[in-house]
Each structure stands twice: as C-alpha cells, then as structure tokens.
Amino acid sequence: MYSLIQVTFIYHGSHGKDIQIQVTVLILNWNAQPYLAACLQSVLAQRGPTFQVWLVDNHSSDESLDFVRTHFPQVRIISLNENRGFAGGNNAALRQVDTPLVVLLNP
C-alpha cells in the first residue's frame, strides 16, 4: 500500500488572498502494470493542493497503458517511443509541465 505525505502550499498574495499552488505528480512507468492500481488510487485519494497526475510510460510492453486508459481516464499519459530510463523519462515529461511544483514517483 502506498502512502503520501500531504503538503499544502499556500501563497499569501499581495491582495490579501491565499492562493493554493498547483502540483503535477509524474509517475514514471516501465512494465509496472501490477503496481499501478494501488499507486494511482493512493495518489488520487490525496487532498490538499490542486494537483494533476501524469503517467510517463517508458515504452512498456505490458498492458500498463490500456489499464490506465480504462481505469484512470483522468490521468494524462505521456507515451515515449523508447525506454529513456529514469532521468530521460522524467525529463521528457518535465519539459511539458506548467505547474510550479512537481512530484516524481515510481509505482
């Protein structure tokens, strides 16, 4: 079972309003379909800052992508055409992130 620490980031704006910071959770995957259900359920159950979840697939040969598309349609998928390893896979996704904070996870 996965457990994440909940962290809320609050920016005290100049107009006296608190603004929650948005976060992107990047999950790097390579043939980890057996672990994705528990991982994604745990991540998606979190409350706190506004967040989005992306699955970065390192050219898996298992059913990972079909599983996520079917069971977790709210997860954005980045499907790479080759296994770029940990750094390469995360860097490919990080180039597309538009939130000020990112969490990198393995399933």
Side-chain angles (χ1 to χ4, degrees), residues 65-83:
L65 295 178
D66 289 336
F67 177 79
V68 173
R69 285 185 186 111
T70 300
H71 298 285
F72 299 95
Q74 69 273 45
V75 173
R76 177 179 173 183
I77 294 174
I78 297 175
S79 181
L80 303 176
N81 59 3
E82 63 184 352
N83 185 341

Side-chain angles (χ1 to χ4, degrees), residues 25-27 52-57 68 72-79 93 96-98:
V25 178
L26 295 181
I27 301 171
Q52 57 189 352
V53 179
W54 295 8
L55 180 82
V56 185
D57 187 74
V68 173
F72 299 95
Q74 69 273 45
V75 173
R76 177 179 173 183
I77 294 174
I78 297 175
S79 181
Q96 300 178 46
V97 170
D98 61 356

